[in-house]
Amino acid sequence: MDGYGISVDFDGLQLVVEPKNAVAEAALGRRRLVVTGPELVSVSMARAGLFRNGRLDLVVRDGQPCKLHFTRRQQADFERLYHGLLSFRVEVANVAGMARPQPERLRPALVERPAEKSLRLRGKGWFGQEVVGESHYFQDLRRLAGKASTGERETIAQLRREPSNRHDRNAVQVLVDGRLVGYLPRESAAEYATSLKLLEKSNRIPECRARLWWRRGPGDFIASVSLDLADPELLFPINEIDDRSPHMMVPAGRSYQLTRENEHLDVLGPLMGRAHPQSRALVLASLHGVERTGPRSTSEVVAVRVDGQEIGELTKQTSAKLLPVVRPLQNAGITCYAEVVLTGNALAVEAKLNISPPEDLPHDFVQRMQKAVQRA
């Protein structure tokens, strides 16, 4: 079977792991891993999440840890491998005449349902997604509107799937301050169904920007709700930032085309395999100023990486525009992140960086960046 950048074979007596690239070889800690029962000291598993790959951690007799990474699609195979390796260790211990060890407990991620956490969905920057059925919830909308006769309010709405709805199994409730104010239209609910199901399985509560508008008259009340939602496949990134290291996320803004993506299909292909649906994907990428040596000169460009692996770079002209943001953070030991939209499949991928150039950066971000650089 295959993992992320590795091929794995386990026949019940011997485990063989072959890395497919240099990154996988580094994680494995060797060019090829062959483990028999007496050599396996411990095994543990971290389940794949919505925004990260899973990992099987092995420790062998030489004391060197080995990390086997896998995607959500490969998770079932690796769970079977994990339990097979646990049994493998127990059987070997019994044959050797040792006291039978207690089976290792699975990590909490495998046996406990984590508490729900909210996740802010990406938007398009305007309230273009309509909500239907508000007239059935005017009583709650009156309370949300307050006493003003006419007005509008920007707030946060939660989206909750309602699979028990007898009219539409894809029905999605729209709630504001815990009050039901309407539903996504049937067509929109069907389009967003896959993405919302993924969030539900990971115990994430999707939230988005919402606009409430109302007007009161003698014996009359009218209200409407609209949402700021990105396309279904761009609602949230398929990876996440490592919060353990200093970093700053640059606000989205203009779109810049990456170059040399075709040289990194070994990284981009598996990323597109995690997309939902498999045509476009949003990733959080780190930006790095690097030197490129040409036939006549050396220039500095911005290299773009996802989870530490390069996926392309910006042109010299675009790099020169963005280096005033990237370089100070990099020199201060702070990783600079921005959003990248991937389009294509495992054979061809186009990548576009979505970032605000220095002249368009919000004042509060510039202040936070300056303070972070000074503290470093």
Side-chain angles (χ1 to χ4, degrees):
M1 68 183 190
D2 287 332
Y4 188 67
I6 57 175
S7 63
V8 182
D9 180 55
F10 178 60
D11 60 4
L13 298 175
Q14 180 175 265
L15 173 69
V16 180
V17 183
E18 301 272 3
K20 297 181 179 179
N21 53 49
V23 175
E25 183 176 319
L28 192 61
R30 61 202 75 198
R31 293 183 178 179
R32 185 173 187 262
L33 175 67
V34 179
V35 181
T36 58
E39 297 172 317
L40 184 60
V41 175
S42 68
V43 56
S44 61
M45 180 176 179
R47 188 168 183 163
L50 181 60
F51 307 106
R52 64 181 182 278
N53 287 333
R55 192 180 71 241
L56 200 63
D57 291 325
L58 309 177
V59 177
V60 294
R61 285 297 176 193
D62 63 10
Q64 185 174 356
C66 309
K67 302 180 186 299
L68 313 184
H69 296 270
F70 56 89
T71 66
R72 283 172 59 87
R73 289 187 174 187
Q74 299 161 341
Q75 185 156 275
D77 287 337
F78 273 79
E79 286 187 356
R80 286 192 289 269
L81 174 61
Y82 172 72
H83 291 291
L85 291 174
L86 287 180
S87 301
F88 187 36
R89 290 187 60 228
V90 170
E91 290 171 3
V92 170
N94 288 338
V95 169
M98 298 168 58
R100 183 182 180 91
Q102 295 296 317
E104 294 189 20
R105 293 187 62 190
L106 302 183
R107 289 191 174 189
L110 287 174
V111 297
E112 296 179 4
R113 184 177 180 84
E116 289 185 325
K117 296 181 179 179
S118 60
L119 175 70
R120 181 68 60 87
L121 302 177
R122 266 52 175 184
K124 296 179 179 179
W126 65 89
F127 300 101
Q129 176 60 60
E130 68 170 330
V131 174
V132 297
E134 299 104 312
S135 60
H136 298 288
Y137 309 101
F138 275 176
Q139 183 174 352
D140 283 326
L141 283 167
R142 284 193 186 95
R143 296 191 180 100
L144 293 169
K147 297 181 179 180
S149 58
T150 302
E152 64 178 68
R153 170 190 171 193
E154 183 177 327
T155 184
I156 300 299
Q158 286 187 354
L159 304 181
R160 291 277 192 176
R161 292 180 61 249
E162 191 183 45
S164 60
N165 189 303
R166 60 189 179 91
H167 302 290
D168 180 12
R169 61 186 179 88
N170 291 321
V172 177
Q173 298 178 337
V174 180
L175 301 98
V176 175
D177 293 346
R179 301 176 186 273
L180 180 61
V181 297
Y183 286 80
L184 288 185
R186 180 183 293 268
E187 297 79 8
S188 299
E191 292 173 356
Y192 287 100
T194 300
S195 297
L196 295 180
K197 285 178 183 177
L198 285 173
L199 291 175
E200 186 177 85
K201 289 179 180 178
S202 65
N203 289 321
R204 298 293 186 103
I205 303 173
E207 298 180 344
C208 65
R209 294 171 63 229
R211 173 185 176 271
L212 275 63
W213 175 91
W214 67 90
R215 185 183 67 195
R216 283 189 174 90
D220 187 27
F221 178 82
I222 299 175
S224 68
V225 182
S226 53
L227 309 175
D228 179 14
L229 280 178
D231 294 336
E233 62 271 28
L234 302 180
L235 283 176
F236 51 87
I238 60 174
N239 68 326
E240 61 185 3
I241 294 174
D242 184 359
D243 290 327
R244 294 171 296 182
S245 58
H247 65 274
M248 289 195 74
M249 185 80 188
V250 183
R254 302 183 191 180
S255 183
Y256 298 99
Q257 179 71 52
L258 268 62
T259 62
R260 302 178 68 176
E261 304 103 305
N262 62 321
E263 298 177 17
H264 305 286
L265 288 177
D266 59 326
V267 179
L268 290 168
L271 284 174
M272 293 308 300
R274 293 158 54 187
H276 44 83
Q278 294 179 14
S279 58
R280 286 200 295 170
L282 179 69
V283 294
L284 303 179
S286 57
L287 310 182
H288 307 265
V290 300
E291 288 190 349
R292 297 293 192 220
T293 302
R296 297 182 179 179
S297 62
T298 298
S299 59
E300 187 177 11
V301 300
V302 174
V304 182
R305 301 171 186 168
V306 175
D307 300 336
Q309 302 180 84
E310 195 161 319
I311 63 168
E313 64 185 42
L314 297 172
T315 64
K316 293 180 182 179
Q317 182 179 3
T318 303
S319 295
K321 181 187 290 288
L322 297 179
L323 277 170
V325 178
V326 176
R327 193 187 297 114
L329 292 172
Q330 183 171 311
N331 291 341
I334 302 170
T335 306
C336 178
Y337 282 91
E339 295 181 352
V340 172
V341 175
L342 306 178
T343 305
N345 53 45
L347 301 179
V349 182
E350 179 186 69
K352 291 185 177 181
L353 180 70
N354 192 358
I355 189 173
S356 293
E359 65 271 19
D360 294 341
L361 286 171
H363 181 64
D364 63 332
F365 176 84
V366 174
Q367 286 186 319
R368 287 189 291 111
M369 175 179 165
Q370 291 174 339
K371 290 180 180 178
V373 170
Q374 290 171 359
R375 285 197 301 267

